[in-house]
Amino acid sequence: MNEHVQKLIRLLIVPLYAALVFACKEALAVLPNIEVVTFLLAFAALVFPLYMAMSIPIIFGLLEVILYGGSSWVILYFSAWPILVLIVWMFRGIIKKYWWIFITITSLWGFCFGTLDSFLHLLMFGKASFYFYWIAGLPFDAVHGVGNFMFSVFLYKPVMAIWTSHLQHYLLIDNQLVILPPKPIVNKDQLIDN
C-alpha cells in the first residue's frame, strides 16, 4: 500500500467519524438527553490512536457550533468531550479485558455531564447559577446516564465485534495503519483441482 494512500485513509477516518457522531446526535435530538455521542466518542478512544480520537470531538464541536451558534455550552463541548476521550484512552487496556468498565465510564459520564455544565456556570455566573443549573438538571442527568448505560450495554459487543472482525483489518492494528490483504475466499488447492 502506498504511503500517501495510508495517510489519506488516516486523514479521512477522523472527519467521517466526526460526521457520524454529529449525524447520530442530530437524529436523536428529538429525545431529551438521549444521545449516542458518549458511546461513539468513547469507542473512538478505545480503537483509534489518541491524536485521531482527540480530533473527533473537536470536529464534532465545530459542527455543533456551525449548526446552533455559540453560547456557554460551546465551552462545555470543547472541554468535556475531549476529557471523556482522555479518560477512556487512559483505561483502554483495562477496558479491553473487562468490557463492563466501558459501560461504567459511559454511564457515569451521563450522570455527571450536567454537573460539569453546572461547574462552568459557577465559573462564569456565580454560585446561584451553579445551584440552579445543577438542581434543575438532575432529572436530565438521570435520563442521560440511563440512556448511556443502555446504548453501551446493547452496542458495545456488536460494534466491537464488527470492528475486530472487519474494520480493524482495513484501518488500524495496534495504533498503526496497516492494510492487510483480504482473506482468500477460495483455497488455492480448490482452484488447481477444478
Side-chain angles (χ1 to χ4, degrees):
M1 172 72 46
N2 186 338
E3 182 181 330
H4 297 293
V5 173
Q6 290 178 345
K7 287 181 181 179
L8 180 64
I9 290 172
R10 277 192 185 213
L11 185 66
L12 291 176
I13 290 170
V14 170
L16 288 175
Y17 198 94
L20 172 71
V21 173
F22 177 74
C24 289
K25 190 250 183 203
E26 294 308 315
L28 294 174
V30 297
L31 303 172
N33 278 20
I34 302 292
E35 50 84 12
V36 72
V37 174
T38 304
F39 174 82
L40 291 172
L41 292 178
F43 190 81
L46 204 56
V47 298
F48 293 131
L50 183 61
Y51 75 93
M52 290 174 73
M54 288 296 284
S55 301
I56 293 167
I58 302 301
I59 296 170
F60 167 69
L62 289 172
L63 292 171
E64 289 289 307
V65 170
I66 290 169
L67 182 63
Y68 294 111
S71 185
S72 61
W73 64 268
V74 173
I75 299 168
L76 176 69
Y77 270 44
F78 282 109
S79 58
W81 294 122
I83 290 171
L84 171 67
V85 168
L86 279 174
I87 290 169
V88 173
W89 190 82
M90 288 188 315
F91 291 103
R92 68 197 218 155
I94 297 168
I95 291 171
K96 288 181 180 181
K97 290 181 184 176
Y98 307 104
W99 66 278
W100 55 268
I101 294 174
F102 182 88
I103 294 168
T104 304
I105 291 171
T106 57
S107 300
L108 289 175
W109 188 258
F111 286 114
C112 296
F113 194 78
T115 304
L116 292 172
D117 188 29
S118 298
F119 277 115
L120 286 175
H121 282 270
L122 172 68
L123 296 173
M124 291 186 294
F125 307 115
K127 284 184 182 179
S129 179
F130 166 77
Y131 290 118
F132 173 75
Y133 269 87
W134 182 62
I135 291 170
L138 288 176
F140 292 99
D141 290 341
V143 171
H144 194 180
V146 170
N148 284 357
F149 174 81
M150 299 302 284
F151 276 120
S152 295
V153 165
F154 289 113
L155 292 178
Y156 180 82
K157 285 189 175 184
V159 172
M160 184 56 81
I162 291 169
W163 171 261
T164 304
S165 66
H166 293 76
L167 300 178
Q168 82 174 353
H169 299 294
Y170 299 102
L171 302 175
L172 301 165
I173 296 178
D174 295 329
N175 295 337
Q176 297 295 319
L177 184 63
V178 177
I179 308 297
L180 297 176
K183 295 178 184 174
I185 298 172
V186 182
N187 188 343
K188 291 179 186 177
D189 296 334
Q190 291 174 333
L191 291 174
I192 296 171
D193 292 339
N194 294 333

